[in-house]
Amino acid sequence: MTTSTSEIIGILGGMGPAATADFYAKLVSMTPGSSDQDHLRTVIWSDPTIPDRTDALLGDGPDPTPWLLDGSRVLREAGATVIAIPCNTAHAFVPRIAEHVGLPIVHMIGEVAQHLSTMSPRIHTAGLLATTGTLRAGLYQDWLGRFGIRLALPDAGSQDREVMAGIRAVKAGDRDGTSALLERAARRLTEQGAQAVIAGCTEIPLGLPADAVDVPLVDPALVLAQALVRRAGRGSTAGEAA
Amino acid sequence: MTTSTSEIIGILGGMGPAATADFYAKLVSMTPGSSDQDHLRTVIWSDPTIPDRTDALLGDGPDPTPWLLDGSRVLREAGATVIAIPCNTAHAFVPRIAEHVGLPIVHMIGEVAQHLSTMSPRIHTAGLLATTGTLRAGLYQDWLGRFGIRLALPDAGSQDREVMAGIRAVKAGDRDGTSALLERAARRLTEQGAQAVIAGCTEIPLGLPADAVDVPLVDPALVLAQALVRRAGRGSTAGEAA
């Protein structure tokens, strides 16, 4: 074994499953190393049966908290030393589970806010493509506010017909038609002055190529992967998040 | 929950980690469904510190059996009802662990042999790109022999300088230079009469595009994913394995 860390990454996933696979691939690609043995031990609980997070936040479905607690327990018992949740919307439930999981949670949205605050030239306004649940819960508003960054959001029509339609298409396994929808939504945000666009739902980078947006597209999954690699003491990561 | 199965897929991974991420993405993409909740609950133990399988089979490194048993225990305790191992070479150790894990193992190489036996037109000779460990352990020779399929193998020079060099490059995160190496090795097999080529190391499909080979390139990870989806009672899969 050439690994020098005792950290075991716990990924609370399945929201959705394709985004979880994508997140793990990003974690692997961000870890510097030249052989299998340089990589981090990881345990992934991917439970796609977790009730839809946006439905719950809009009062249209069951509270996913018990499922999140159950998954956290599985990860802890498997030996995880830290938890990462590659689902933006699920972060609305982090305050309800944080005290009960017995492990630190690396907060994806907090990491994105910090990442944005260090970008150069300085970001005053960031655009956000995210689920209606994430918008309603005010997750990015709260975190970006702490760093003095203003948020540009889609109007209600664009949110419904472009952003949520694109996210649902990715979840249904249809990535082809989605790029045009999400591209249009992103363009509306840059027209409002967004100097960077946050792909604030883990399905969005699967349907929107970074080069389709003319400002930096920040992928929270990559930012989270970088934070985990740094935390595990693997020094500089193998790439850049934005 | 729209899921109707109590099956929880256990993935014993990390050999290597990129191949594990790729396998999980394939499992998700092969599962029919239009929302997160249609997908299978999955737990993944990805331990890249498992000693190199080929080194062990060549007598150059520690036996990975204790690591495989330990990972299987984690998966069983997490609730897995079946185990899949997305690493061809690790299947050399399946006879040593099978009786101790207390869960059925869906045998990737057995599934590939069965899959090849149903291909049309009938396959009499299949080429194999795999680690030296897999070749030495005779895994594909044994299984394909049961179905009356002959194996075409690279000569020692091609195995060393093309196949193993390509696999090591993928493990080091370098996928660019590998395609030409693996393509040359595949061509030598079709020149020997191979009517299909088995990408018999989970790293190979990451470095060799299917359209670079002029006979069907069979991806054991896809065949294994299909077998798991069928087993979980999800009927026809969302794609074809070869």
Side-chain angles (χ1 to χ4, degrees):
Chain A
M1 290 195 243
T2 60
T3 188
S4 61
T5 180
S6 57
E7 194 94 284
I8 298 180
I9 310 296
I11 300 176
L12 186 55
M15 306 172 278
T20 299
D22 180 63
F23 174 68
Y24 184 50
K26 284 170 179 162
L27 178 61
V28 172
S29 74
M30 300 301 284
T31 309
S34 60
S35 74
D36 290 354
Q37 288 72 22
D38 294 321
H39 284 267
L40 298 164
R41 282 179 296 170
T42 303
V43 55
I44 303 173
W45 174 248
S46 183
D47 183 359
T49 70
I50 300 180
D52 190 87
R53 286 64 60 195
T54 289
D55 287 351
L57 290 167
L58 302 182
D60 287 342
D63 180 356
T65 305
W67 278 260
L68 296 169
L69 283 172
D70 198 53
S72 304
R73 184 189 49 72
V74 168
L75 295 175
R76 192 177 63 238
E77 288 176 1
T81 56
V82 61
I83 284 184
I85 309 175
C87 170
N88 289 268
T89 319
H91 279 71
F93 303 91
V94 164
R96 302 188 200 174
I97 68 168
E99 282 181 22
H100 306 284
V101 302
L103 292 175
I105 297 173
V106 179
H107 198 287
M108 180 159 63
I109 298 173
E111 294 293 336
V112 169
Q114 201 156 18
H115 174 76
L116 281 168
S117 75
T118 62
M119 281 173 74
S120 172
R122 210 184 137 199
I123 305 286
H124 300 280
T125 303
L128 177 63
L129 298 175
T131 64
T132 307
T134 296
L135 299 190
R136 204 64 78 80
L139 295 168
Y140 277 97
Q141 292 90 320
D142 287 355
W143 278 94
L144 267 62
R146 299 187 199 183
F147 291 88
I149 300 169
R150 198 182 77 81
L151 258 191
L153 300 175
D155 62 34
S158 167
Q159 177 63 25
D160 241 39
R161 288 188 299 271
E162 292 166 352
V163 185
M164 286 306 286
I167 292 169
R168 273 191 293 262
V170 173
K171 283 186 187 287
D174 165 24
R175 299 189 188 178
D176 298 338
T178 60
S179 171
L181 286 173
L182 295 172
E183 226 178 297
R184 261 204 305 278
R187 203 173 320 115
R188 294 181 206 279
L189 300 178
T190 56
E191 282 165 10
Q192 286 182 54
Q195 301 159 278
V197 170
I198 305 165
C201 168
T202 39
E203 265 75 18
I204 287 177
L206 303 179
L208 178 68
D211 59 12
V213 185
D214 34 311
V215 297
L217 184 69
V218 176
D219 177 354
L222 267 183
V223 175
L224 178 61
Q226 281 191 317
L228 292 168
V229 170
R230 272 199 312 273
R231 192 190 145 92
R234 290 305 167 82
S236 63
T237 49
E240 273 301 305
Chain B
M1 286 197 245
T2 60
T3 189
S4 60
T5 181
S6 56
E7 195 93 284
I8 299 179
I9 310 296
I11 300 176
L12 185 55
M15 307 172 276
T20 299
D22 179 63
F23 174 67
Y24 184 50
K26 284 170 179 162
L27 178 61
V28 172
S29 74
M30 299 303 282
T31 309
S34 60
S35 75
D36 290 356
Q37 288 72 22
D38 294 323
H39 284 267
L40 298 165
R41 282 179 296 170
T42 303
V43 54
I44 303 172
W45 173 248
S46 183
D47 183 359
T49 70
I50 300 180
D52 190 87
R53 286 64 60 195
T54 289
D55 288 353
L57 291 167
L58 302 181
D60 288 340
D63 181 353
T65 305
W67 279 258
L68 296 170
L69 283 172
D70 199 51
S72 304
R73 184 189 49 72
V74 169
L75 295 175
R76 193 178 59 239
E77 288 176 1
T81 55
V82 61
I83 285 185
I85 309 173
C87 171
N88 289 268
T89 320
H91 279 71
F93 303 92
V94 165
R96 301 186 202 175
I97 67 169
E99 282 180 22
H100 305 285
V101 300
L103 291 176
I105 298 173
V106 178
H107 197 288
M108 179 158 65
I109 298 174
E111 294 293 336
V112 170
Q114 201 156 20
H115 174 78
L116 282 168
S117 76
T118 62
M119 282 173 74
S120 173
R122 211 183 135 198
I123 305 286
H124 300 281
T125 303
L128 177 62
L129 299 175
T131 64
T132 307
T134 296
L135 300 190
R136 204 61 79 80
L139 294 168
Y140 278 98
Q141 293 89 322
D142 288 354
W143 278 95
L144 268 62
R146 298 187 200 182
F147 290 88
I149 300 169
R150 199 181 76 81
L151 259 190
L153 300 175
D155 61 35
S158 166
Q159 177 63 25
D160 240 40
R161 288 189 300 271
E162 292 167 351
V163 186
M164 286 306 285
I167 292 169
R168 272 191 293 263
V170 173
K171 284 185 186 288
D174 165 24
R175 299 188 187 179
D176 297 339
T178 60
S179 170
L181 286 173
L182 295 173
E183 226 178 296
R184 262 205 302 281
R187 202 172 321 115
R188 292 181 207 277
L189 300 178
T190 55
E191 283 164 9
Q192 286 182 56
Q195 301 156 277
V197 170
I198 304 165
C201 168
T202 40
E203 265 74 18
I204 287 176
L206 304 179
L208 178 66
D211 59 11
V213 184
D214 32 307
V215 298
L217 184 70
V218 175
D219 178 353
L222 267 185
V223 174
L224 178 60
Q226 281 191 315
L228 291 168
V229 170
R230 269 199 313 273
R231 194 191 145 88
R234 289 305 166 86
S236 63
T237 50
E240 273 300 304

